[in-house]
Amino acid sequence: MITLVFSYSHADEALLNELQKHLSPLIRTGKIITWHDRRIVPGQEFEPQIDQYFSEADIILLLVSSDFIDSDYCYQIEMVNALERHKRGEAIVIPVILRECAWHQLPFGRLMAATLDGKPISKFASHDEGYVQVVDAVSRAIASLEAKKPQQSVHVPSPALG
């Protein structure tokens, strides 16, 4: 199963929750499991949990907004580590532009965003339309990851020559 992790600013939590709902078909069909930092259990240290999930994720969605860019943790830790894994071919990083912001000149600005032409979710007449494009982008990333997995060959013994 593909693991998908969200990197986002808590200021954008409502948008994260909406995106999570739209990803439900991929979750219900067993294509992905998702994780974000609100799943950390009280009493656990948050940094090791975040590090673990980000180091094991197959797909990392950067939920980009001015708040995301302004967050030292999102930008300097989560985004930098995600892009390093992306460069090494260990994960697929997909920017999801939530709200209009100056993102093109940043390190992830060279990556294809989830929506057509990187249109911010907030600019769609219906946010649902934007989220559907994100689900389609995630589905394509899943297909790419599945195509890279080594095919399991089934050994069929040849009939005995008699």
Side-chain angles (χ1 to χ4, degrees):
M1 186 171 308
I2 303 292
T3 303
L4 182 147
V5 171
F6 300 96
S7 177
Y8 71 104
S9 165
H10 288 168
D12 297 317
E13 191 167 359
L15 295 170
L16 162 72
N17 291 338
E18 285 301 309
L19 176 54
Q20 180 85 23
K21 290 177 196 174
H22 280 273
L23 289 168
S24 289
L26 298 176
I27 296 166
R28 290 188 184 277
T29 57
K31 293 283 189 187
I32 61 169
I33 57 171
T34 63
W35 187 86
H36 53 80
D37 65 353
R38 293 295 192 204
R39 301 235 171 103
I40 298 172
V41 176
Q44 289 182 321
E45 291 184 40
F46 67 89
E47 207 163 319
Q49 289 288 307
I50 293 171
D51 289 347
Q52 176 188 346
Y53 280 95
F54 272 80
S55 69
E56 296 173 358
D58 299 299
I59 300 172
I60 301 168
L61 296 186
L62 304 179
L63 305 188
V64 181
S65 67
S66 56
D67 288 300
F68 174 88
I69 295 166
D70 186 53
S71 166
D72 288 342
Y73 199 86
C74 289
Y75 192 88
Q76 294 174 344
I77 296 174
E78 292 178 353
M79 185 269 298
V80 168
N81 291 338
L83 289 179
E84 284 299 317
R85 291 195 64 231
H86 183 85
K87 281 182 199 172
R88 292 191 302 264
E90 298 171 359
I92 296 175
V93 174
I94 304 172
V96 177
I97 313 307
L98 296 178
R99 297 183 281 127
E100 204 161 333
C101 58
W103 65 277
H104 285 92
Q105 65 267 33
L106 298 174
F108 55 85
R110 60 181 161 61
L111 299 178
M112 183 67 73
T115 56
L116 189 61
D117 297 326
K119 183 177 180 177
I121 298 294
S122 63
K123 289 291 185 180
F124 283 87
S126 163
H127 289 185
D128 291 340
E129 183 184 346
Y131 290 129
V132 168
Q133 287 187 21
V134 175
V135 173
D136 183 53
V138 170
S139 295
R140 290 192 316 262
I142 291 168
S144 171
L145 289 167
E146 288 175 341
K148 288 181 185 177
K149 285 183 182 176
Q151 299 295 332
Q152 294 182 347
S153 59
V154 177
H155 177 69
V156 179
S158 55
L161 297 175

